[in-house]
Amino acid sequence: MENEDLTPVLESDQRAGIGVIGCADIAVRRALPAIAASPFRLTAVASRSRHKAEQVAAAAGCSAVEGYERLLELPGVDAVYVPLPNSEHALWARRALEAGKHVLIEKPAVPSEETAQKLVALAEERGLAVMENFAFLRHPQHERARALLADGAIGELRSYSGSFGIPPTDPRGIKYQAELGGGALWEVGCYPVRAAQEYLGPSARVVGAGLTFDAGLGVDVSGAALLCDDGGVTAHCSFGLSHGYRSTYDLWGSEGRLVLEWAFTPSHSARPVLRLEQKDRQTRILAPAADQFLGVFTAFHDAVRDPAARAVHHHELVRQAGLMARIRAHALGRKAR
């Protein structure tokens, strides 16, 4: 007997309700304003601290909930967004799916391909969507880059190079806590690795990787990975938590090069520049301003409403988790689990 789609049926004029598990800075600054402008109806935010939940909920105009499990019990919550520390993602994504909720997990979603596969299997069994939040992919500059490549603006793609680095911050912060899933690879390395997958074929594999650890912090603070696909296209991904800010990638082809100067974290009012280099000519292309977080919540809402839209998100979640795990394993000299 085929699995029955158990997705709650929403009336055509009824917006899906979404709850937020956790009051992380990224949720308050970027996600909640985007949800307010999205097709979703913000139902509630949850925190382990009642006071913090009430503060955030008051500003967002929704209900406050003390405790994550309680949010999953609320009526009117069809989906949840999980911006918790990396180490908590898999647990609360699973609990949300078991409670019948669609799930958007903040990046990096989970640390292994096996965990990703289990979440996807559970989601498909329950007729639900599970998606990883790489909001940068929803900015129109990447669509423009793919279109230029497809039109032959730089000839045949030979290689991709992506870098994301940020200056050091408070060493007591979550990104420096190994037990919470911190470290440069998970926190910033995931961006150039995910972008590379837009340009490499499905055979992309890890051929080299290295991580630099800070003994005092106990986490990796910089690193690089080299990927390659069966077509010979390579991808060099570099990243770090102790760098001058850099957020860029470039595509090098047989007849030119395309550079995205602000690839991963443009503000919603910024107009990023794409620099196209062709022989002796350089063209600067100004991308439109866009709220990439609004783009991701719109795409997530589409997956909530349309079962046919879910397969691509499930595939991308598993592929990214597997590639990231293999990068870390290669850097540490062991086999990925």
Side-chain angles (χ1 to χ4, degrees):
M1 180 177 179
E2 295 184 352
N3 289 335
E4 181 182 359
D5 188 348
L6 302 178
T7 308
V9 178
L10 302 173
E11 299 296 333
S12 59
D13 61 348
Q14 180 185 356
R15 292 185 296 163
I18 190 169
V20 179
I21 296 180
C23 297
D25 178 66
I26 192 68
V28 175
R29 285 190 302 106
R30 299 296 303 269
L32 292 178
I35 291 171
S38 80
F40 279 111
R41 171 178 44 82
L42 179 60
T43 302
V45 295
S47 173
R48 291 193 171 107
S49 163
R50 179 74 187 181
H51 176 67
K52 188 170 185 179
E54 288 176 346
Q55 279 188 317
V56 173
C62 65
S63 298
V65 178
E66 182 178 1
Y68 306 149
E69 198 70 54
R70 178 72 184 105
L71 183 139
L72 299 179
E73 299 168 354
L74 288 181
V77 175
D78 305 294
V80 296
Y81 166 53
V82 183
L84 296 171
N86 300 338
S87 58
E88 299 287 291
H89 290 174
L91 170 64
W92 288 102
R94 176 177 57 79
R95 288 187 178 179
L97 291 169
E98 290 172 345
K101 315 300 182 184
H102 303 274
V103 181
L104 175 65
I105 315 172
E106 188 52 58
K107 61 79 208 162
V110 293
S112 75
E113 186 171 14
E114 180 183 7
T115 302
Q117 289 171 336
K118 288 180 178 178
L119 287 179
V120 165
L122 178 59
E124 293 179 347
E125 175 188 321
R126 302 297 177 93
L128 299 167
V130 58
M131 178 177 169
E132 185 171 22
N133 180 21
F134 277 108
F136 77 87
L137 292 172
R138 309 299 161 181
H139 195 287
Q141 65 173 322
H142 303 284
E143 182 180 353
R144 187 65 187 275
R146 290 189 293 267
L148 286 166
L149 179 62
D151 289 344
I154 60 171
E156 295 184 6
L157 181 64
R158 301 293 191 229
S159 68
Y160 157 102
S161 179
S163 299
F164 190 28
I166 60 175
T169 57
D170 186 346
R172 296 168 297 180
I174 289 174
K175 66 173 63 72
Y176 297 106
Q177 307 305 313
E179 67 275 14
L180 297 180
L185 175 61
W186 299 126
E187 288 294 325
V188 289
C190 59
Y191 287 86
V193 171
R194 179 63 188 85
Q197 293 182 68
E198 295 295 294
Y199 302 103
L200 271 65
S203 61
R205 61 193 180 277
V206 182
V207 294
L211 295 172
T212 299
F213 285 80
D214 183 301
L217 294 171
V219 296
D220 52 300
V221 292
S222 66
L226 180 63
L227 315 176
C228 185
D229 67 16
D230 287 349
V233 178
T234 59
H236 181 264
C237 307
S238 56
F239 46 89
L241 298 175
S242 57
H243 297 55
Y245 178 79
R246 191 176 185 196
S247 172
T248 182
Y249 71 75
D250 69 75
L251 307 173
W252 190 8
S254 58
E255 300 176 21
R257 191 166 75 110
L258 179 64
V259 181
L260 278 69
E261 297 182 344
W262 197 359
F264 304 121
T265 56
S267 66
H268 60 81
S269 60
R271 299 196 64 188
V273 173
L274 293 82
R275 190 172 73 250
L276 177 61
E277 300 173 358
Q278 299 167 302
K279 296 182 180 178
D280 58 351
R281 181 177 63 181
Q282 184 178 110
T283 306
R284 293 175 68 84
I285 302 167
L286 199 59
D291 183 346
Q292 58 193 37
F293 266 75
L294 174 56
V296 82
F297 279 102
T298 300
F300 181 43
H301 190 272
D302 290 344
V304 169
R305 298 297 295 262
D306 181 10
R310 298 170 192 164
V312 64
H313 301 305
H314 295 174
H315 171 76
E316 290 172 351
L317 171 62
V318 173
R319 186 186 185 198
Q320 174 73 3
L323 197 54
M324 289 287 289
R326 285 188 284 277
I327 289 170
R328 185 169 181 83
H330 197 290
L332 298 179
R334 60 187 186 223
K335 186 176 291 187
R337 291 182 294 174

